[in-house]
């Protein structure tokens, strides 16, 4: 999908790149490919995600030197090495913090965060939720393989209950995060999910995230063939259509090989029903732009840890003020203000003279 197509169906999407210098050159994926050898395990889903990002970046029409990728610690965090852009391989869980500072001080950059389910939701959980709350103009791609890969196979904050790993030999007793619900609860203005092997949906989501002004959170379900092989197989095999609920704004939520399943209202939430058993007027039409996050939360809640149902696509996409725009505005106002006496500034308004 092109930028022009997104401008017709999106929600103030083009504002995301309004301050980023454009290029007249025709860019190709190879222009965003560095000379570094890609070093992930054979079969890792990271390869597919890297290829998809390389496909999207040229379509944005911006200069390579105005793109920055910030990563934390984990397998996914090697990402910046493999792109011919600026990048920082930072510290565990702190990529959103570094990216927030960069996005706030450099509006001429397209800033991306690359993180994993362990990096983002354990030690980095606090940083992630505040970035989402502040709505800093950046993209957060969270690779979720439901395991700690770099540290060799311990359970993560998204591992399903009962998961047997090196750190949970009797099965995990932790209840995993519903990542979409977490992002929505932190007031995320753009929340989406894609599957690494579904190139169409992945590219669609990445393009929309790249153009969204605010924090765009994208969870990408990807396989770890070494420590959690086959964790998402139910979403890839022949029966996948009965488990994947792909939502698109303005379209009825139907899924299954022959659209035999649909989503309808049930009480204050949503439920899956056989399409043949409901009135067509009762089938939910997806509204990613709804101001009330309650609908998006109900949609996110359809996703279950056993993968009976997994919602993919853009769940929520709304416009609200960004932290960085407002911070720069305050700085500009302070610079334009009448110069005050230095001693008065040092004293402030809460000083006393003790006699």
């Amino acid at each position: 999908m092109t930028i022009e197509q997104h401008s017709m169906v999106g929600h103030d999407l083009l504002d995301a790149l309004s301050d980023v210098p454009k290029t007249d050159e025709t860019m190709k994926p190879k222009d965003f490919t560095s000379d570094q050898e890609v070093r992930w395990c054979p079969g890792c889903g990271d390869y597919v995600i890297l290829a998809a990002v390389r496909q999207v970046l040229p379509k944005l029409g911006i200069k390579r030197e105005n793109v920055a990728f910030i990563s934390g610690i984990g397998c996914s965090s090697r990402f910046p090495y493999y792109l011919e852009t600026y990048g920082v391989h930072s510290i565990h869980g702190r990529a959103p913090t570094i990216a927030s500072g960069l996005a706030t001080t450099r509006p001429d950059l397209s800033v991306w965060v690359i993180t994993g389910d362990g990096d983002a939701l354990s030690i980095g959980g606090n940083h992630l939720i505040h970035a989402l709350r502040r709505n800093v103009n950046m993209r957060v791609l969270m690779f979720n393989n439901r395991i700690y890969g770099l540290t060799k196979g311990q359970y993560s904050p998204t591992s399903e209950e009962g998961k047997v790993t090196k750190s949970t030999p009797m099965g995990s007793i932790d209840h995993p995060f519903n990542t979409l619900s977490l992002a929505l609860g932190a007031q995320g203005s753009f929340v989406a999910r894609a599957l690494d092997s579904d190139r169409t949906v992945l590219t669609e989501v990445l393009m929309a995230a790249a153009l969204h002004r605010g924090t765009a959170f994208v969870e990408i379900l990807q396989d770890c063939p070494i420590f959690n092989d086959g964790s998402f197989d139910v979403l890839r095999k022949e029966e996948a259509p009965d488990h994947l609920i792909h939502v698109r704004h303005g379209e009825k939520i139907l899924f299954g090989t022959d659209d035999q399943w649909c989503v309808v209202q049930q009480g204050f939430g949503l439920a899956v029903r056989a399409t043949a058993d409901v009135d067509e007027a009762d089938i939910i039409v997806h509204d990613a732009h709804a101001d009330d996050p309650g609908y998006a939360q109900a949609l996110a809640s359809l996703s279950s840890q056993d993968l009976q149902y997994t919602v993919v696509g853009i769940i929520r996409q709304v416009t609200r003020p960004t932290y960085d725009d407002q911070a720069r505005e305050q700085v500009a106002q302070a610079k334009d203000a009448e110069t005050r006496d230095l001693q008065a500034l040092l004293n402030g308004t809460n000083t006393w003279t003790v006699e």
Side-chain angles (χ1 to χ4, degrees), residues 53-64:
V53 170
R54 285 174 175 168
Q55 288 286 338
V56 166
L57 290 175
K59 297 177 182 178
L60 301 180
I62 57 178
K63 297 181 178 180
R64 290 179 298 180

Side-chain angles (χ1 to χ4, degrees), residues 33-39 54 78 80-84:
T33 303
S34 75
D35 60 359
Q36 298 296 301
E37 177 188 0
V38 181
R39 300 179 65 183
R54 285 174 175 168
R78 296 189 60 80
Y81 295 104
Y82 309 138
L83 292 168
E84 192 64 12

Side-chain angles (χ1 to χ4, degrees), residues 39-58:
R39 300 179 65 183
W40 286 312
C41 300
C44 178
D46 291 2
Y47 286 98
V48 180
I49 302 170
L50 176 62
V53 170
R54 285 174 175 168
Q55 288 286 338
V56 166
L57 290 175

Side-chain angles (χ1 to χ4, degrees), residues 315-326:
I315 312 302
R316 189 171 194 241
Q317 183 181 18
V318 298
T319 298
R320 63 182 178 87
T322 67
Y323 175 90
D324 43 308
D325 285 337
Q326 294 178 96

Side-chain angles (χ1 to χ4, degrees), residues 61-277:
I62 57 178
K63 297 181 178 180
R64 290 179 298 180
E65 58 267 34
N66 291 91
V67 181
F69 280 80
I70 316 298
S71 65
I73 296 296
C75 297
S76 64
S77 295
R78 296 189 60 80
F79 216 83
Y81 295 104
Y82 309 138
L83 292 168
E84 192 64 12
T85 66
Y86 282 106
V88 176
H89 189 176
S90 68
I91 54 180
H92 206 187
R94 272 66 176 187
T97 306
I98 296 170
S100 293
L102 188 60
T104 301
T105 56
R106 291 289 303 272
D108 60 323
L109 297 180
S110 176
V111 179
W112 300 66
V113 169
I114 303 296
T115 184
D117 49 303
D119 185 57
L121 298 177
S122 56
I123 192 170
N126 195 47
H127 301 279
L128 175 64
I129 62 174
H130 288 297
L132 289 163
R133 174 180 63 85
R134 291 180 176 123
N135 199 34
V136 182
N137 188 29
M138 62 186 183
R139 283 117 289 288
V140 179
L141 308 187
M142 193 196 80
F143 299 10
N144 183 7
N145 54 24
R146 306 206 292 186
I147 201 78
Y148 277 101
L150 188 65
T151 51
K152 307 299 184 287
Q154 299 82 10
Y155 84 107
S156 85
T158 59
S159 295
E160 61 274 27
E161 291 179 270
K163 184 71 175 180
V164 175
T165 72
K166 292 178 180 178
S167 56
T168 54
M170 298 179 68
S172 171
I173 56 175
D174 271 2
H175 186 76
F177 277 123
N178 179 322
T179 50
L180 299 184
S181 293
L182 177 73
L184 291 166
Q187 302 174 53
S189 61
F190 182 106
V191 178
R193 176 191 281 145
L195 184 66
D196 59 356
S197 59
D198 190 341
R199 193 64 171 270
T200 300
V201 176
L202 179 58
T203 302
E204 173 186 306
V205 166
L206 288 175
M207 178 63 83
L211 299 173
H212 177 75
R213 193 168 193 87
T215 303
F217 176 82
V218 180
E219 177 190 24
I220 306 174
L221 307 179
Q222 52 97 210
D223 198 37
C224 175
I226 305 301
F227 297 108
N228 204 18
D229 191 27
S231 55
F232 297 111
D233 274 0
V234 70
L235 304 180
R236 307 179 198 277
K237 297 179 180 178
E238 292 182 1
E239 63 268 25
D242 290 331
H243 300 281
L244 276 174
I245 305 175
H246 182 198
V247 295
R248 284 194 175 94
H249 178 71
E251 296 184 8
K252 289 181 179 295
I253 306 180
L254 297 161
F255 65 103
T257 306
D258 299 306
D259 287 343
Q260 67 267 38
W261 304 105
C262 66
V263 174
V264 298
Q265 186 83 33
Q266 178 175 281
F268 292 107
L270 301 175
V272 172
R273 293 286 183 268
T275 306
D277 295 340

